[in-house]
Amino acid sequence: MTWESLRIRLVQHASGLEPAENRALLEPLTGQGADLVVFPEAFARDFGKPGSPLGRYAEPVAGPFGSELGRVAAGTGSTLVAGMFETSPDPERPFNTLLVRGAATAEYRKIHLYDSFGYRESDALTGGPLAPAVVDVAGVPTGLMTCYDLRFPELARRLVEAGAELLVVPAAWVAGPRKVDHWRTLLRARAIENTVFVAAAGQSGPRYSGHSMLLDPLGDVLLELGEDDAVAEGVVERSRLVAVRETNPSLANRRL
C-alpha cells in the first residue's frame, strides 16, 4: 500500500559526555504523536574534544542506548533514529552508527568519516560498509545518511535508486565560517537533484551548527530551526512528491 503522509519530529539537542544523561533525554524529547523522530548524530555520547579516543564509549547495538531507544519507541509508537558509537572489530575505533527502532529495526554505519576542515574522524572511528541503507518507516522508504555523508551526492543517489523517497540526515555539523551556508545548500541540493523529502536533525550550538531542516522535493524549506536546542514537527505528503516528479522528471530523464 502506498503511503500518504508522515509526521516527522526533528530533535535538535546537544548531547553531553555522560551517556546515562543522554539516554534520559530520549523519552521526553520524543514526545507523542510523531510517526518518525529524528535525533542527531552521536546522541548517545558526544565526540568530546577533537581527537579524543572514543573506544571506551562504544556499545553494542543491543546495549544500554539501543535498549532504551527501543523501549521509548515501543512506548510511544514512534520510529526513532539516533546516533551512537558502536563496538567494531577495532576496539579503539568504533563505528559511528545510526540506530532505527520502532516500526523498523535497522543500523547504518557511517560511510564517509569527517577527515576535513582540520578534523580526522578516521583516527578515532571505523568507516562502515559501502552499502546504502533504506528502511520502511510507516510505509515510507527511508534512506539513512550521517552528517559528512551529505557532501557526497553519490550516496544520496544510491539510496534513491534503492527506492528511498525520504532521506534522513542526523548530524553534528561543526560550526564555523560558511558551515551553515554549506549545510543548507547541500540539504537543498540533495532534495532537488533527487526529488525527495529530506529530514535533517543536527546537534545545537555553539559547538555545532543546529539549523535542523525539513525540505520538500523541490528544495522548499518546510521548517528550519535556529542554533539553540529545539524540537519541531512537520508533515510530508506523498502527493507532493508525485506532483514534483511530474513537473520535474529529472530521475526519469537521466541518461547516465
Side-chain angles (χ1 to χ4, degrees), residues 3 134-143 159 162-167 196 238:
W3 66 280
V134 178
V135 298
D136 184 302
V137 177
V140 184
T142 301
L159 291 165
E165 297 182 346
L166 165 68
L167 300 179
V196 291
R238 193 171 191 275

Side-chain angles (χ1 to χ4, degrees), residues 150-168:
L150 184 62
R151 292 187 181 271
F152 300 87
E154 302 87 354
L155 177 57
R157 180 53 55 88
R158 288 278 302 276
L159 291 165
V160 171
E161 288 175 342
E165 297 182 346
L166 165 68
L167 300 179
V168 168

Side-chain angles (χ1 to χ4, degrees), residues 102-116:
T105 299
E107 295 84 35
Y108 165 67
R109 296 164 183 92
K110 185 179 180 181
I111 292 173
H112 299 99
L113 299 181
Y114 186 52
D115 290 356
S116 188

